[in-house]
Amino acid sequence: MKIKNSRLEALRMIISSQELGSQEELLSALQKEGFQLTQATLSRDLKQLKVAKASSMSGKYVYVLPNDTMYKRISTPSHIREMMKVPGFVSINFSGNMGVIKTRPGYASSIAWNIDNSDIPQIIGTIAGDDTIFIVIKEGFTHQQVIDALSEVVPNMK
């Protein structure tokens, strides 16, 4: 299972950092990262990640992750294994009972899902985009209490 999780994470990073329009291109990119798999396995992985195709700024149809139709791509991508070592969380800022969490591109949805499914009493709910999560904080809680609670769910928050 660990290999599959690593492969899925690598696939997310490849899709978020490159404009690839065919499964052959995806297979090749995965092979460069050391993953050997069949086209059938790739198809199942794409289905599991809910990957779709959308028109890029150049008009080419490319693979995108959910909520990423106008996906922000990294202009000079690092090797995927290097990118996977860096956590998705970037920063958090507050204004009253609202908070904004910035993430690396493609991470907001999964981090928001973790927050929503952790039953954090300080947080009413989240809305996630590509690299930004909006959180609503219940009245009566300090920003530090929210950070402390989130740090249990969001790696490298503290």
Side-chain angles (χ1 to χ4, degrees):
M1 192 60 145
K2 185 176 182 182
I3 293 171
K4 180 178 180 181
N5 289 338
S6 293
R7 185 180 70 240
L8 291 174
E9 184 64 18
L11 187 55
R12 280 187 200 97
M13 297 306 298
I14 289 168
I15 290 170
S16 68
S17 65
Q18 301 174 41
E19 287 192 354
L20 302 176
S22 71
Q23 287 192 2
E24 292 80 22
E25 291 173 323
L26 284 173
L27 281 171
S28 175
L30 284 165
Q31 287 172 353
K32 287 179 187 172
E33 297 300 327
F35 295 96
Q36 301 298 318
L37 63 152
T38 64
Q39 183 273 329
T41 300
L42 177 60
S43 288
R44 286 190 293 274
D45 288 352
L46 293 172
K47 184 175 181 176
Q48 181 177 343
L49 294 174
K50 296 183 170 107
V51 171
K53 274 194 168 180
S55 180
S56 70
M57 298 296 247
S58 63
K60 177 181 171 187
Y61 279 90
V62 296
Y63 288 104
V64 293
L65 295 166
N67 300 325
D68 299 333
T69 3
M70 297 303 287
Y71 208 78
K72 298 175 186 152
R73 304 216 177 262
I74 300 166
S75 55
T76 54
S78 307
H79 286 285
I80 300 305
R81 293 210 189 272
E82 293 296 317
M83 293 169 69
M84 287 170 63
K85 292 178 186 174
V86 180
F89 171 79
V90 174
S91 67
I92 185 167
N93 289 292
F94 298 97
S95 179
N97 74 328
M98 298 176 289
V100 174
I101 298 172
K102 297 300 285 181
T103 71
R104 289 178 40 221
Y107 277 76
S109 291
S110 60
I111 291 174
W113 187 89
N114 287 340
I115 293 168
D116 288 338
N117 288 287
S118 295
D119 296 322
I120 298 172
Q122 294 88 339
I123 298 177
I124 294 173
T126 66
I127 299 173
D130 174 45
D131 61 358
T132 306
I133 304 167
F134 173 76
I135 61 173
V136 178
I137 303 159
K138 285 185 185 173
E139 289 185 30
F141 290 102
T142 67
H143 297 160
Q144 188 58 52
Q145 288 173 312
V146 172
I147 290 172
D148 292 342
L150 286 171
S151 67
E152 300 294 321
V153 177
V154 181
N156 295 352
M157 177 161 277
K158 280 197 168 184

